[in-house]
Amino acid sequence: MSESIIADFVASFNSQKSARSEPVKGRVLLSRKRLVLVAEEGKTQIPLSSIVDVAVGQVPDELGDFFNSTVTIAFERNDRQFVAAIEADDETIEKFNSVLYKALLNGTEATVKHPARIGGRVTDAAFTPAKLFVNPRYIRFKRQDGEFTIRLATVTGFERLNREIAGATRPVLSTTHNRNGQAVVTLAALPSPRKMNILGRYLRREYREVMEGIRDVDISDAEKELLVTVYSTGDMDGIPLAGVLDAEASEVELLRSRLEQKGLLTDSEDGLQLTPAGRVVVNNHLEDVND
């Protein structure tokens, strides 16, 4: 490869392009233009422009018996889609995943509307040009008038919408995230469906883990009410939650204890706060109420 290498490590890998069913060991090379899997039997070159999806820990059924800690890459060739799975130790996979996303997304021209909504209020913000950059725990949009970030841990929902931008209807990714205790919506349009899909996958990295964590958690109506109250008011500078909820202090304390055990609430130096999982629960509840 003549271009500069930004990742080079030994791993096990396979691809649906290969005739082999079991993984082989070899080198994984990444530049800003292509990913190359090099084994004794030959090499597979995957241009970054052909990659349509990246996922950690999700392996196709055909390859799943052989892989554990992985990055799985979907790419297109000759109007067909293939999947390559790369396995290494957890630390290597995490570093590679981060570098790969940066190579795919950093510097992407975007059109953003931020904030499009704060709480229940639609703002008068306009769509403006921006450049996208990603980091392990957040994404950043740089605009002419400044920049803003979305921390992955604060993301509570996604939606694909169509919006009019510069006289044309375009698909946008709507992301709901928490900022200073309020739900903020950001709309972003990227230059291709491929980039939109990869950005959506990146934003879902922590959101997916949170959703898996709360999938089997049973939450009562009273617990939801307490979560919504904390979301809306916090500790209200010392005003008892029991008074806000019109409930006995002992009942509120019991609900609070249960929610802390379920990982939905935490008592920090700044008072009672929702965890990322708690914010997702509240966001889903409010969406159900408003439907």
Side-chain angles (χ1 to χ4, degrees):
M1 295 172 66
S2 57
E3 59 262 24
S4 176
I5 302 298
I6 56 177
D8 181 354
F9 61 97
V10 175
S12 298
F13 49 78
N14 204 346
S15 166
Q16 289 174 332
K17 274 190 84 273
S18 170
R20 300 174 62 95
S21 58
E22 69 277 5
V24 297
K25 199 157 191 174
R27 287 177 66 192
V28 177
L29 304 172
L30 176 68
S31 75
R32 300 192 187 279
K33 292 184 179 180
R34 75 197 76 205
L35 171 67
V36 183
L37 309 178
V38 184
E40 287 186 5
E41 61 183 28
K43 62 183 179 180
T44 300
Q45 296 198 45
I46 305 171
L48 297 194
S49 59
S50 72
I51 294 177
V52 296
D53 198 6
V54 177
V56 177
Q58 299 179 28
V59 184
D61 292 339
E62 304 93 305
L63 308 177
D65 291 340
F66 303 102
F67 291 90
N68 293 309
S69 185
T70 62
V71 170
T72 304
I73 299 159
F75 61 100
E76 294 178 342
R77 181 166 297 173
N78 299 326
D79 296 324
R80 294 180 59 196
Q81 189 169 114
F82 301 95
V83 176
I86 301 170
E87 179 187 47
D89 61 81
D90 290 345
E91 183 178 357
T92 299
I93 286 296
E94 183 61 31
K95 288 181 179 178
F96 172 63
N97 186 57
S98 179
V99 172
L100 178 58
Y101 270 114
K102 286 182 179 181
L104 291 167
L105 292 174
N106 274 6
T108 296
E109 300 285 348
T111 306
V112 298
K113 185 175 184 178
H114 173 84
R117 184 187 293 267
I118 300 176
R121 178 176 63 86
V122 176
T123 72
D124 59 0
F127 279 100
T128 57
K131 282 194 173 182
L132 168 66
F133 296 88
V134 301
N135 281 277
R137 297 300 176 193
Y138 61 88
I139 66 170
R140 173 181 285 119
F141 287 100
K142 293 185 178 180
R143 301 184 292 194
Q144 192 169 20
D145 61 348
E147 62 181 48
F148 66 90
T149 62
I150 298 176
R151 291 196 301 117
L152 302 188
T154 68
V155 172
T156 58
F158 302 90
E159 191 176 5
R160 284 183 180 267
L161 305 170
N162 290 313
R163 289 291 183 267
E164 185 173 320
I165 303 175
T169 300
R170 295 179 57 187
V172 300
L173 181 64
S174 172
T175 304
T176 303
H177 49 105
N178 186 277
R179 186 181 68 184
N180 300 326
Q182 288 188 305
V184 176
V185 174
T186 298
L187 303 180
L190 270 59
S192 69
R194 182 181 73 85
K195 292 269 191 176
M196 290 274 287
N197 187 59
I198 294 172
L199 174 60
R201 178 70 78 175
Y202 191 80
L203 283 165
R204 285 178 174 84
R205 292 176 70 191
E206 294 192 21
Y207 179 75
R208 180 171 60 87
E209 293 179 8
V210 169
M211 290 300 292
E212 290 175 352
I214 66 174
R215 184 172 295 145
D216 299 324
V217 175
D218 185 32
I219 307 167
S220 69
D221 289 341
E223 289 171 338
K224 288 179 183 177
E225 186 178 1
L226 178 55
L227 288 174
V228 171
T229 300
V230 174
Y231 169 79
S232 303
T233 65
D235 266 337
M236 296 182 63
D237 296 327
I239 297 178
L241 286 170
V244 179
L245 291 168
D246 191 23
E248 295 292 334
S250 58
E251 180 184 353
V252 173
E253 186 58 35
L254 180 59
L255 291 173
R256 172 175 166 167
S257 176
R258 287 176 181 169
L259 290 170
E260 287 190 35
Q261 291 174 6
K262 293 176 181 180
L264 303 177
L265 213 55
T266 182
D267 200 353
S268 68
E269 293 181 357
D270 298 324
L272 209 55
Q273 302 285 328
L274 297 176
T275 65
R279 288 193 292 267
V280 171
V281 169
V282 169
N283 185 67
N284 291 344
H285 174 68
L286 293 178
E287 285 182 354
D288 291 340
V289 170
N290 294 327
D291 281 347

